[in-house]
Every structure is written in structure tokens, then in C-alpha cells.
Amino acid sequence: MGAGWSSEEERQPLLGPGPGLGPAAPGGAWRGRGEAAAAAPGPGRVYGRRWLVLLLFSLLGFAQGLVWNTWGPIQNSARQAYGFSSWDIALLVLWGPIGFLPCFAFMWLLDKRGLRITVLLTSFLMVLGTGLRCIPISDLMLKRRLIHGGQLLNGLAGPTVMNAAPFLSTTWFSADERATATAIASMLSYLGGACAFLVGPLVVPAPNGTSPLLASETSRTHIKDLIETVLYAEFGVVCLLFSATLAYFPPRPPLPPSVAAASQRLSYRRSFCRLLSNMRFLMIALAYAIPLGVFAGWSGVLDLILTPVHVSQVDAGWIGFWSIVGGCVVGIGMARFADFIRGMLKLILLLLFSGATLSSTWFTLTCLNSITHLPLTTVTLYASCILLGVFLNSSIPIFFELFVETVYPVPEGITCGVVTFLSNMFMGVLLFFLTFYHTELSWFNWCLPGSCLLSLLLILCFRESYDRLYLDVVVSV
């Protein structure tokens, strides 16, 4: 089970052989205490409340994704209501990747103070961010600044909701449920961003809507009132989640669910040294960051890419929505499959990226139908784009689990923080570049199959190991 790719020291159990898995110590880790647990080490214990903790965390991620993508689907209405420029709209999206700049501070907090403190701080930042956007100000310049500030604060919540999923699953779930819990906790943030494509346009009409308006000023006021309705609703949801988290979000269960959950981990400094010196980790991190970063940037300008082939902005939005929803569903299903058949993460990623490479190549060649003579129809565009999104988005939780297994005993939050930081910085650079060079985007289509093929080759050359799973399955027996 991957034991050949790790040192003998790394495969040693970090818990003593005598006492069982005892209650949590005051400092945050579990201690082996014979008087409080069974005389021999066992597989651990799981609690029904773990699903409530997972639900609260997943809803927080859903709300963060929803708030982050508030303005993209209603950008034309926002321009008329608040006087946003094209640069303003792009910056409102960029606050998400920019929020990952202090990612390492949140990783340190998660490692030192635990899950509850980190999640409370994250939800409080979201309350402040959504509250800033709701302050009633007549000065449009000041209002725009408050909205930008609110989006930045919401972006600062991104490192926790996108990084802490494997940490939560290890802390609360047994070895045969970890991948599923990771998938649910990590995918709900993307699902929130997808639902913004429905919530915004359903509530806020476009400036050229069909409803009769008396004058342009009346139209602007009407649209502004509806946008503020969405902002107040999002603020209320975030406040409700913060209250629920404050009322009940324990840092850990009384007893750990597995041997790996109670094991000692490397320090913050040693973890970074281990990650940066591990070539296998760097290889798989690039396999994750490059295609996911390219896909995120490509999705952001999908309406512009599809304009030359006569696809409307509404259809482009629906393509993006269904690709994310499909990716969430398939990702959770793949994670559940990985829980049943352990040690198959590399094979699952090979299958997913083979499909992603074929789908992206199909889409790129279809857009060049004047040369390839492939049928260019709504069905083929929908199918190729949605399949591409399904294959790439569903690979995220599988990657997370493979990262943790590869570099164990590096803490989960630090491991996933590094890779998501790389992915978001790569996406941010692409979005910043596309802000200035968006007149010709046909070359961007070729980046998709190229990045997917590169990732496929990196995964193929990657030597997998399952040191955390080895500890749970072999040492705990």
C-alpha cells in the first residue's frame, strides 16, 4: 500500500503501542491515556454529530462561493446601478484569488489553534464583508469602495473553506468516510459559485429587460433596489451561519475516529521543508495547479470565447453552471468509490484527466470547424464543455486526498493550503493577463488540452504512496 515509496521512519506509528486512543488534550491534540480508553489500540470511534459539523462547514463554503460570484452573472445590471467599469467587475472577481495571499497565516492558525477558532474567524470575516456591502450610502463612489472592501473580506475567507476540508475529514471521520467528507466539504464552495448564476439573474433583471420602465433613472433605481435585495439576503444567510457556528462547532470529537487522527504531526516549519523538498509532492501539485488554474481562467471568459461561434451569454452561463454542478455530483460519487476501494486515487485521476484531455480537444477542434469540419451545434458545445467541467471539477477532492497521503505526517491544512495557493495565484495571473489582452482568445482554447495532457503525464509518472492509510489499516489492526 505504498510502503515502498516511504522511509521506515515515516511508516512507524506515531502513537504508543500500549494505551488506546484517549480524549483530546487541552492543547488541541489527542493523548494516549489507558485509564480513559480501551487497553489496546482500536480503530477509533465516530460520532453522529460529525455530519452536523460537516453540514455547517459545507454551508459556510457554499455561502462564500455564492458571495464571491455575486457580481459576475449580473455585471451589466451592476454597471448601470453603481457605475462599475470593466476593471471594477474584473477586480470584484480577482478579490477571490487575492484573498489567498495571507493563506499561510490561516494555515498556521488551523495548525496551532484548531478548526473551531479558524472557522469562527472565517465566518466573522464573511459577516463583515457582506455587511459592508449592505451599508446604505447614496455616494456611488463610496458605495463602490465598500463593495470592493466587502468582496476582499469574503475573499479572505477562501483559504479556510477551500483548504480545511481534508483536516475536517481526518479529525471527524473514519478512514472509510474521509474521501467522501472531503469531497462534500470542498465541492460545496464551487456549488455556491455555480448557484450565483441562478440567484442573481432570477432576481435582478438585465438593463434591457422586457419589463416596461418609465425612464432610465427609474430603471437604474429599480435594478439597484433588486441588487440590494440580493445583498441583504446573502448578509442574512451569512449571519445565520455565523450564529450557528458560534453556538455549536466543536474543535474535535471527544475520541479520535482513527489512528491517523490522533497521530503526531510535523511542526509548521518542518512541514514546509518537507513539502518543498518532496519532488513527488511538487510533481502532483503542478498536475493540480496548472490545469485547474487554466480552467478557472477559461471559465471566466467563456462567454467571450463562445461569442465567435454565436453562443449567447445566457447559454454560456448555463454551460458553466451545469459543468460545476456535474463536477460536484461526480466528485462526491468518485470520492465515495475511493472510500470503498482504497489505494486507487492515482487510477481515478488518470481516468478523469484522460476524459478531460479528450473533452478539451473535442471542444477546441469543434470551435475550428472551418478547418476540421466537425459539426458545430449547441449540443456538441454543451456536451464538450460540460464534460470538461465534470472531469476537472470532480478531480479536486481526489487530489486533496492524494496530497495528504503523499506527504503524511504533514498537517492536512498546510498541505492543501500550499496547493490551493498555487492554483489561485496561477488563476489570478491569468485573469489579470486576460483583463488587458482579451481581444483574441482563440489561443486560450489550446491551453486547455495542453494543460490537461501535461497533468496526465505528470500523474502517469507519479509514484503514489498511502502512508496515512497504512497507519490506519495496518497499525490499528
Side-chain angles (χ1 to χ4, degrees):
M1 219 174 316
W5 307 121
S6 56
S7 66
E8 186 66 28
E9 180 184 357
E10 290 174 341
R11 297 197 302 272
Q12 293 301 317
L14 298 177
L15 295 177
L21 301 179
W30 286 283
R31 298 180 298 179
R33 292 170 53 181
E35 65 273 16
R45 177 181 175 183
V46 293
Y47 297 83
R49 73 191 78 168
R50 70 191 186 279
W51 297 109
L52 177 59
V53 173
L54 179 62
L55 177 64
L56 287 175
F57 184 86
S58 301
L59 290 178
L60 197 65
F62 180 89
Q64 198 272 342
L66 182 68
V67 173
W68 169 73
N69 198 29
T70 298
W71 303 99
I74 58 171
Q75 56 178 298
N76 293 328
S77 303
R79 285 173 178 170
Q80 186 181 72
Y82 297 105
F84 282 127
S85 63
S86 298
W87 169 248
D88 284 320
I89 298 297
L91 187 58
L92 289 172
V93 178
L94 277 172
W95 287 127
I98 291 173
F100 269 78
L101 290 177
C103 175
F104 300 107
F106 284 92
M107 289 189 294
W108 176 88
L109 186 65
L110 183 64
D111 185 47
K112 297 297 182 182
R113 299 300 180 184
L115 193 61
R116 175 176 172 82
I117 298 298
T118 309
V119 170
L120 283 176
L121 176 61
T122 297
S123 57
F124 182 67
L125 289 173
M126 293 174 59
V127 169
L128 290 180
T130 52
L132 275 181
R133 306 186 310 170
C134 296
I135 296 178
I137 297 292
S138 58
D139 186 350
L140 289 182
M141 176 65 72
L142 183 57
K143 182 67 174 180
R144 288 195 294 268
R145 291 178 179 177
L146 289 175
I147 291 174
H148 279 290
Q151 293 299 120
L152 173 60
L153 289 173
N154 183 76
L156 292 174
T160 299
V161 300
M162 298 186 70
N163 296 341
F167 183 88
L168 182 146
S169 63
T170 300
T171 303
W172 283 92
F173 289 83
S174 60
D176 58 351
E177 295 176 335
R178 280 198 298 244
T180 304
T182 298
I184 295 173
S186 59
M187 289 284 94
L188 264 291
S189 176
Y190 295 90
L191 186 61
C195 286
F197 287 105
L198 295 180
V199 175
L202 285 177
V203 178
V204 182
N208 57 347
T210 57
S211 56
L213 300 175
L214 298 178
S216 59
E217 182 62 27
T218 306
S219 172
R220 189 189 70 82
T221 304
H222 177 67
I223 292 176
K224 185 172 179 290
D225 290 340
L226 292 176
I227 292 177
E228 291 181 349
T229 300
V230 174
L231 300 183
Y232 279 116
E234 292 176 347
F235 176 62
V237 170
V238 171
C239 287
L240 182 62
L241 290 174
F242 174 72
S243 301
T245 304
L246 187 63
Y248 184 80
F249 197 93
R252 67 193 68 83
L255 293 174
S258 63
V259 175
S263 301
Q264 299 174 3
R265 300 304 173 91
L266 298 181
S267 65
Y268 190 75
R269 181 178 299 178
R270 288 188 62 193
S271 297
F272 276 99
C273 294
R274 175 71 65 88
L275 292 178
L276 296 179
S277 61
N278 191 323
M279 293 305 299
R280 292 192 303 121
F281 169 74
L282 296 177
M283 179 188 299
I284 201 69
L286 289 177
Y288 169 85
I290 294 176
L292 269 297
V294 171
F295 178 71
W298 177 82
S299 301
V301 293
L302 184 59
D303 56 334
L304 298 177
I305 291 175
L306 294 178
T307 298
V309 293
H310 310 292
V311 175
S312 66
Q313 183 175 345
V314 175
D315 286 333
W318 279 110
I319 290 175
F321 171 79
W322 287 115
S323 65
I324 295 175
V325 172
C328 293
V329 174
V330 175
I332 295 174
M334 284 291 182
R336 194 62 191 143
F337 175 76
D339 278 331
F340 279 114
I341 304 179
R342 302 175 185 177
M344 303 288 287
L345 298 179
K346 176 180 175 178
L347 178 60
I348 294 175
L349 287 177
L350 286 174
L351 294 175
L352 291 176
F353 273 86
S354 296
T357 302
L358 294 175
S359 300
S360 57
T361 303
W362 179 22
F363 172 80
T364 302
L365 295 179
T366 299
C367 292
L368 298 174
N369 66 320
S370 60
I371 300 175
T372 61
H373 302 290
L374 292 175
L376 178 61
T377 63
T378 304
V379 175
T380 57
L381 288 176
Y382 263 79
S384 58
C385 290
I386 292 176
L387 283 175
L388 175 61
V390 166
F391 287 128
L392 287 180
N393 288 322
S394 61
S395 69
I396 294 173
I398 307 300
F399 265 122
F400 279 1
E401 287 295 300
L402 187 58
F403 292 145
V404 175
E405 296 286 355
T406 300
V407 297
Y408 183 85
V410 176
E412 292 85 355
I414 296 177
T415 303
C416 296
V418 170
V419 294
T420 52
F421 177 83
L422 292 175
S423 178
N424 276 272
M425 291 305 100
F426 193 72
M427 178 184 69
V429 170
L430 278 176
L431 289 175
F432 183 80
F433 179 80
L434 290 172
T435 302
F436 296 98
Y437 302 96
H438 58 272
T439 55
E440 177 58 44
L441 295 175
S442 59
W443 60 271
F444 205 8
N445 289 336
W446 289 105
C447 293
L448 277 174
S451 62
C452 292
L453 180 60
L454 174 61
S455 180
L456 182 62
L457 294 176
L458 289 173
I459 297 171
L460 189 62
C461 298
F462 174 74
R463 298 181 301 177
E464 59 185 331
S465 63
Y466 297 89
D467 294 327
R468 183 183 62 167
L469 185 61
Y470 176 89
L471 187 67
D472 282 326
V473 174
V474 178
V475 177
S476 62
V477 173

